[in-house]
Every structure is written in structure tokens, then in C-alpha cells.
Amino acid sequence: IEGLRIGLSNIVSSDHAGNAGEKKRGLEAVLVLFIEGNPSQEKQYAMHAGQNVNLDKYSVYAQEIRGGSKGSVTLRVKAASQTPAP
């Protein structure tokens, strides 16, 4: 998406609250979102799979987080005004 850059800083195991408020342990991806502009914006987010964050006109959904020596994160990114993909 034009004007947005995303960096993966780290993947760690952490505790978080599930959808029903229950305590869960799982992988957390630390992402850095950078939006070009004047002034530019940069924010860091710690996200679990299934979590969504909004920054300016962008929405970022963490679909899957994989750990290990070559960890990876699958994201769905869209302009905030678009309808989410199924």
C-alpha cells in the first residue's frame, strides 16, 4: 500500500487476554509502522494473531504469527475506508 512501510522488530512468547477475557499464552509480533508524509508518523505495536490496529488511514490485521529461527508474520493491510476482505 502506497505510503506505508511495515517492519518486523521481534517475535516473542507472551501472555495476553483472549476474546472472552481469559488469560492466554501465545506469540506476539512487534511491528513498526511508518507512514510517509509531512510530518511522517512512526508507531510500534505488539500484536497477537487475530488482533487489528489502525493508524491514520490504514488498518493492519495480524492473521498468523510463526516463531522459530525464521519467524514470520502474515498480515492483511488495507486502507481504513475499504471493506475487509473475507
Side-chain angles (χ1 to χ4, degrees), residues 31-54:
L31 303 175
V32 179
L33 280 61
F34 179 82
I35 298 177
E36 298 172 351
N38 189 11
S40 60
Q41 295 182 62
E42 183 176 330
K43 285 210 115 171
Q44 183 170 310
Y45 293 95
M47 298 180 68
H48 299 279
Q51 188 176 1
N52 190 77
V53 296
N54 294 303

